[in-house]
């Protein structure tokens, strides 16, 4: 093409697409349909009466009236406990939102002020704060909906299991699965509508030029920040609550006193059931809402950086949201497969029905993605990228965008099935962990840790392939689309994830109501599959969080480059590498804080449970009518979680801000890269290790190893020849592993995915603040002046690279020298600290050590060679 043609070819000859008019109807209609369908599912769940004799085929007995009374009492107790905790947590969150909104307004307004007049940009600050507020409120609404649905459905799932087989399997499964569907479809519908309404509401305040749209989506990024901030508190606070109660109840009840799981005499059992709802349901809902918000914000921001996408019109810009909207319809159609077309009729059908949801939704979504891509995305007719569009310096196309989404869509499916393989007792890995319990808890824990580490291999390779492939096809826009692809079937993922805690609660209620053992058998089988689906849900959440983190990383660099900073990530830059090391350490620091918090709270719980057992020995007598004080244990979990969730949250939120303010944008890029690379592997291994230990315990408790237990521990065989599995040392070893794994799979592991996302979205939102301080060099730039050390720095770098025969790179900042010196001081200090920490304790001496060198310690003769050596030192 000659120069004249090139001059006439503006934006590849792309004109606004007529199909763009379809975008708003698609997004609004699918969001409304999702909410309406969730109401439909809720009505089906509500049709189940809280009466154990109302299930089809159930018979009325002399105990039915008493069982119904207990059922309603437990239902109300769990509901009140969950509501009380969530209300207390959200009061703190409301205060946090108010304070942070003011901070965002002031900092962003100052950072984006007019350089000529110095006038603060109040519009940018207020809009960013408004976006943050809307995202935070929507996240709280999502968590609240999930909690209310779960506590509303748990007792109804128990009632469904009271029916004889096969109806009992069908009704109990459908109740739990539809409860998950209420959460899934309501959350996706509310999230989609709230984000799109925010965009439409703020759009008139900005122009239609590319720079105006970039500014709009930069401000909209606060929506994702609000969602993930609340998700952090929900995940950490809810995780500490549920695992403090679970671990405490297990240790004091099952391990020490040999009480059955969920025995009504255990004071911690109500707190344990409350925790399933506030941690596994409300926390997961806020978490995945945050993933949706952040992935959407990243895709919108990076997409707006492409002049060709902007030239194609509003429909091309809103392609990411249309993708999520169509996903709601696909998930809605898929849900009928499990409940109507292929209903569960026995235990074997549970896992296959849940796996079918993943496979069918992914298959149905694939052609829908292709249709959307070729309809809404542009194709240039002239220039250097004919048939496609340029985004982030990469020549992409609608077909390439389809592949990017497909990578994430099918990659999530692969991660889900790999997670199932490593956490389901239907497969070899968990069976090996259960078999290791023969030789005690220690070997069980060793096998479980090894399983967790191995389970991270395939998912990390999958995510690495997705990142490389998507970036090759469409730059960071492709990675954003891959993240949205993994979240395209979000409603289905939430349905199968919330299903697990509902079944867990149903089993606890069946035990505490002293229903027929066949009811508990059904709920235990449903719960075992629920543990696997929960692990699958966590796998999706972690994989999508990694992709979202990388996408937001790209949005961060895009926003920096939009200001003319021309930022590149250079790992040879010592300041960037220093940030990488610190970022890699943060998941360990964060996990240590959350694990210790669970340990402290569980310790208090054990002490309280033991106190109640000592005060009322009747609690240890089977079938005794006395009941413990549940409220005290609920208060212990509530107080501990609210107090302990603040420090880990502050660590994640303040790290990128302090890093950017003090050391500049180069250090932030390293911090984000390190946190993502380290966080995904630790999150996967922690979640899968805990899930494997839990299902290994259930594998043993269902009687799969009874023959072996009878041979190794004949004292567990009763007079009828039946093995008392839960009295065996093998089962107790499995319970120990499950107890150790509880905080790994339900507190630290799931919360790490928020660490990856939250640090990245904070960096995106506060990018103007970082750039406003010494042009992105941070406060360090005021201490170290590049011009003063440039000559020395260049000489050292040039000499080093000549020796290594490496081409000389462009001059770097003098901040590197300070960073290296700082690293040297920290390194030496670290060595000294380790030596001090690992040194054996020594008795206090009345004289200096060298003067006392010949003194004998407690009559022990002094080695002559030691005396000679010490004398030479003196």
């Amino acid at each position: 093409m000659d120069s004249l043609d090139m001059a006439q070819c503006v934006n590849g000859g792309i004109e606004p697409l007529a199909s763009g008019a379809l975008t708003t109807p698609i997004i609004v209609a699918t969001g409304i349909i999702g909410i309406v369908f969730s109401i439909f599912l809720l009505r089906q769940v509500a049709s189940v009466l809280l009466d154990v004799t109302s299930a089809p085929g159930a018979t009325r007995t002399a105990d039915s009236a008493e069982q119904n009374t207990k059922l309603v009492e437990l239902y109300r107790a769990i509901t009140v406990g969950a509501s009380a905790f969530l209300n207390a947590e959200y009061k703190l969150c409301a205060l946090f939102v108010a304070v942070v909104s003011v901070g965002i307004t002031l900092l962003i307004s100052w950072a984006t002020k007019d350089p000529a007049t110095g006038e603060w940009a109040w519009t940018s600050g207020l809009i960013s704060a408004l976006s943050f507020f809307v995202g935070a409120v929507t996240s709280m609404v999502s968590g609240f909906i999930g909690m209310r649905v779960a506590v509303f459905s748990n007792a109804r799932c128990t009632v469904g299991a009271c029916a004889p087989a096969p109806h009992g399997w069908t009704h109990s499964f459908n109740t739990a699965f539809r409860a998950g569907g209420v959460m899934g479809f309501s959350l996706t519908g509310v999230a989609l509508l709230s984000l799109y309404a925010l965009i439409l509401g703020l759009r008139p305040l900005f122009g239609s030029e590319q720079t105006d749209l970039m500014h709009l989506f930069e401000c909209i990024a606060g929506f994702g920040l609000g969602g993930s901030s609340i998700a952090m508190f929900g995940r950490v606070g809810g995780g500490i609550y549920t695992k403090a109660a679970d671990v405490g109840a297990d240790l004091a009840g099952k391990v020490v006193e040999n009480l059955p799981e969920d025995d009504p005499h255990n004071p911690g059992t109500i707190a344990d059931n409350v925790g399933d709802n506030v941690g596994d349901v409300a926390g997961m809902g806020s978490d995945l809402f945050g993933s949706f918000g952040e992935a959407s914000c990243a895709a919108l921001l990076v997409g707006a950086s492409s002049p060709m996408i902007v030239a194609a019109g509003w429909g091309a810009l809103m392609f990411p949201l249309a993708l999520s909207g169509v996903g709601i319809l696909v998930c809605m159609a898929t849900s009928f497969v499990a409940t109507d077309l292929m209903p569960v009729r026995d235990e074997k059908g549970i896992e296959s029905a849940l796996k079918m949801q993943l496979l069918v939704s992914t298959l149905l979504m694939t052609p829908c993605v292709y249709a959307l891509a070729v309809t809404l995305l542009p194709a240039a007719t002239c220039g250097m990228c004919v048939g496609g569009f340029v985004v982030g310096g990469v020549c992409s196309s609608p077909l390439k965008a389809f592949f990017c989404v497909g990578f994430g869509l099918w990659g999530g499916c692969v991660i889900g099935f790999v997670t199932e393989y490593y956490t389901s007792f239907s497969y070899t890995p968990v069976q090996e962990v259960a078999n290791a319990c023969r030789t005690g808890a220690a070997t069980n824990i060793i096998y479980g840790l090894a399983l967790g580490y191995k389970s991270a291999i395939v998912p990390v390779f999958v995510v690495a392939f997705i990142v490389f492939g998507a970036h090759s096809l469409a730059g960071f826009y492709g990675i954003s689309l891959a993240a949205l692809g993994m979240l395209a079937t979000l409603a289905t993922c939430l349905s199968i994830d919330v299903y697990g805690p509902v079944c867990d609660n149903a089993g606890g209620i069946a035990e505490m109501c002293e229903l027929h053992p066949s009811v508990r058998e059904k709920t235990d089988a449903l719960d075992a599959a629920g543990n696997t689906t929960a692990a699958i849900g966590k796998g999706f959440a972690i994989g999508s969080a990694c992709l979202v983190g990388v996408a937001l990383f790209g949005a961060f660099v895009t926003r920096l480059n939009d200001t003319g900073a021309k930022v590149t990530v250079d790992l040879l830059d010592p300041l960037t590498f220093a940030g990488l090391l610190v970022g890699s350490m943060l998941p360990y620091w964060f996990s240590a804080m959350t694990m210790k918090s669970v340990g402290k709270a569980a310790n208090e719980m054990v002490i309280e449970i033991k106190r109640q057992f000592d005060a009322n020995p009747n609690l240890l007598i089977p079938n005794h009518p006395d009941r413990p004080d549940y409220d005290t244990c609920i208060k212990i979990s509530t107080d501990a979680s609210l107090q302990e969730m603040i420090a880990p949250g502050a660590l994640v939120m303040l790290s990128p801000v302090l890093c950017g303010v003090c050391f500049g944008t180069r250090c932030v890029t390293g911090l984000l890269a390190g946190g993502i690379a380290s966080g995904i592997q630790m999150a996967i291994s922690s979640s899968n290790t805990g899930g494997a230990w839990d299902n290994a315990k259930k594998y043993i408790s269902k009687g799969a190893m009874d023959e072996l237990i009878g041979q190794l521990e004949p004292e567990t065989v009763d007079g009828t020849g039946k093995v008392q599995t839960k009295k065996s040392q093998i089962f107790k070893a499995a319970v120990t592993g499950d107890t150790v794994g509880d905080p790994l799979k339900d507190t630290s592991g799931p919360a790490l995915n928020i660490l990856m996302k939250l640090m990245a979205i904070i960096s995106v939102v506060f990018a103007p603040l970082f750039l406003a301080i010494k042009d992105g060099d941070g406060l360090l730039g005021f201490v170290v002046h590049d011009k003063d050390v440039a000559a020395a720095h260049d000489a050292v770098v040039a000499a080093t690279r000549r020796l290594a025969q490496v081409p000389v790179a462009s001059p770097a900042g003098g901040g590197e020298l300070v960073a290296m010196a700082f690293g040297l001081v920290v390194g030496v200090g670290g060595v000294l600290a380790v030596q001090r920490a690992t040194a054996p304790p020594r008795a206090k001496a009345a004289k200096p050590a060298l003067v006392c060198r010949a003194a004998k310690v407690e009559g022990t003769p002094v080695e002559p060679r030691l005396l000679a050596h010490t004398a030479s030192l003196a």
Side-chain angles (χ1 to χ4, degrees), residues 417-465:
F417 287 134
V418 169
T419 302
E420 184 216 11
Y421 173 74
Y422 280 104
T423 57
S424 171
F425 60 52
S426 300
Y427 302 102
T428 304
V430 171
Q431 293 174 8
E432 289 180 346
V433 172
N435 194 50
C437 295
R438 294 184 305 165
T439 50
T443 48
N444 176 30
I445 290 174
I446 292 171
Y447 267 73
L449 290 173
L451 179 149
Y453 298 147
K454 286 183 66 176
S455 70
I457 297 172
V458 175
V460 168
F461 273 116
V462 170
V463 173
F465 169 79

Side-chain angles (χ1 to χ4, degrees), residues 239-383:
I240 293 172
Y241 184 107
T242 181
K243 291 304 110 179
D246 195 357
V247 172
D250 282 354
L251 288 176
K254 288 194 292 187
V255 176
V256 176
E257 302 296 347
N258 293 318
L259 292 177
E261 187 164 5
D262 296 313
D263 191 294
H265 295 101
N266 192 328
T269 189
I270 294 293
D272 182 12
N273 282 277
V274 169
D276 291 335
N277 298 289
V278 299
D280 295 341
V281 179
M284 172 63 83
S286 296
D287 179 8
L288 288 177
F289 164 77
S291 293
F292 162 79
E294 288 161 330
S296 300
C297 290
L300 292 171
L301 178 58
V302 179
S305 68
S306 168
M308 292 187 177
I309 293 179
V310 173
W314 189 248
L317 278 171
M318 292 298 110
F319 170 69
L321 297 189
L323 192 68
S324 300
V326 172
I328 294 176
L329 301 181
V330 169
C331 294
M332 186 173 68
T334 305
S335 67
F336 290 105
V337 175
T339 57
D340 296 275
L341 299 180
M342 299 174 60
V344 173
R345 299 190 182 278
D346 52 34
E347 182 178 352
K348 295 180 180 179
I350 301 173
E351 285 196 11
S352 60
L354 295 171
K355 285 192 292 185
M356 188 65 67
Q357 288 292 296
L358 291 177
L359 187 59
V360 171
S361 61
T362 303
L363 283 170
L364 292 179
M365 189 65 196
T366 302
C368 296
V369 173
Y370 178 79
L372 280 175
V374 299
T375 302
L376 297 179
L377 292 178
T381 57
C382 62

Side-chain angles (χ1 to χ4, degrees), residues 614-741:
D614 293 340
N616 186 4
N618 291 336
L619 296 177
L620 300 177
I621 300 176
N623 302 318
H624 197 280
D626 283 6
R627 289 296 181 265
D629 176 14
Y630 299 122
D631 292 340
T632 302
C633 291
I634 291 175
K635 187 177 186 302
I636 289 174
S637 278
T638 300
D639 293 344
S641 60
L642 296 179
Q643 293 170 7
E644 298 292 334
M645 73 179 184
I646 297 174
L651 172 68
V652 176
M653 295 178 190
L654 293 178
S655 293
V657 176
L658 293 178
C659 182
V661 169
C662 296
F663 303 105
T665 56
R666 290 180 294 159
C667 192
V668 173
T669 57
L671 186 83
L672 298 181
I676 294 170
S678 174
I680 181 176
Q681 298 173 77
M682 193 169 187
I684 292 173
S685 63
S686 297
S687 296
N688 290 350
T689 292
W693 276 327
D694 194 349
N695 273 348
K697 179 197 71 175
K698 285 183 167 56
Y699 179 73
I700 295 172
S701 67
K702 69 177 291 200
M705 296 179 63
D706 279 359
E707 182 179 353
L708 180 63
I709 291 173
Q711 295 173 0
L712 298 179
E713 301 179 56
E715 66 276 8
T716 61
V717 182
D718 62 16
T720 63
K722 182 178 180 181
V723 176
Q724 301 296 313
T725 307
K726 295 184 179 181
K727 293 184 179 181
S728 67
Q729 295 302 314
I730 291 178
F731 179 74
K732 290 182 179 179
V735 170
T736 300
D738 176 38
T739 306
V740 174

Side-chain angles (χ1 to χ4, degrees), residues 71-88:
L71 181 80
V72 174
E73 288 178 354
L74 292 169
Y75 165 77
R76 290 175 177 170
I78 294 172
T79 302
V80 170
S83 299
F85 168 75
L86 217 59
N87 290 337

Side-chain angles (χ1 to χ4, degrees), residues 141-310:
V141 170
S142 301
F144 183 78
I145 291 173
M147 183 276 296
R148 293 294 300 175
V149 169
V151 298
F152 182 77
S153 309
N154 50 20
R156 289 170 168 81
C157 181
T158 305
V159 172
C162 291
H167 298 293
W169 293 105
T170 303
H171 287 288
S172 55
F173 174 87
N174 285 356
T175 301
F177 184 76
R178 284 168 176 157
V182 176
M183 170 68 163
F185 289 100
S186 62
L187 183 146
T188 49
V190 169
L192 184 62
L193 291 177
S194 61
L195 177 56
Y196 195 57
L198 180 66
I199 294 172
L200 291 181
L202 296 178
R203 187 184 177 189
L205 301 177
F206 299 84
S208 58
E209 299 296 326
Q210 181 190 358
T211 54
D212 298 323
L213 292 172
M214 283 283 292
H215 191 194
L216 167 64
F217 294 126
E218 286 170 357
C219 295
I220 291 293
F223 181 87
L225 174 59
S228 267
S229 298
I230 300 303
M232 171 59 73
F233 291 122
R235 267 300 197 190
V236 175
I240 293 172
Y241 184 107
T242 181
K243 291 304 110 179
D246 195 357
V247 172
D250 282 354
L251 288 176
K254 288 194 292 187
V255 176
V256 176
E257 302 296 347
N258 293 318
L259 292 177
E261 187 164 5
D262 296 313
D263 191 294
H265 295 101
N266 192 328
T269 189
I270 294 293
D272 182 12
N273 282 277
V274 169
D276 291 335
N277 298 289
V278 299
D280 295 341
V281 179
M284 172 63 83
S286 296
D287 179 8
L288 288 177
F289 164 77
S291 293
F292 162 79
E294 288 161 330
S296 300
C297 290
L300 292 171
L301 178 58
V302 179
S305 68
S306 168
M308 292 187 177
I309 293 179
V310 173

Side-chain angles (χ1 to χ4, degrees), residues 833-840:
V834 170
Q835 289 179 342
R836 179 64 181 271
T838 57

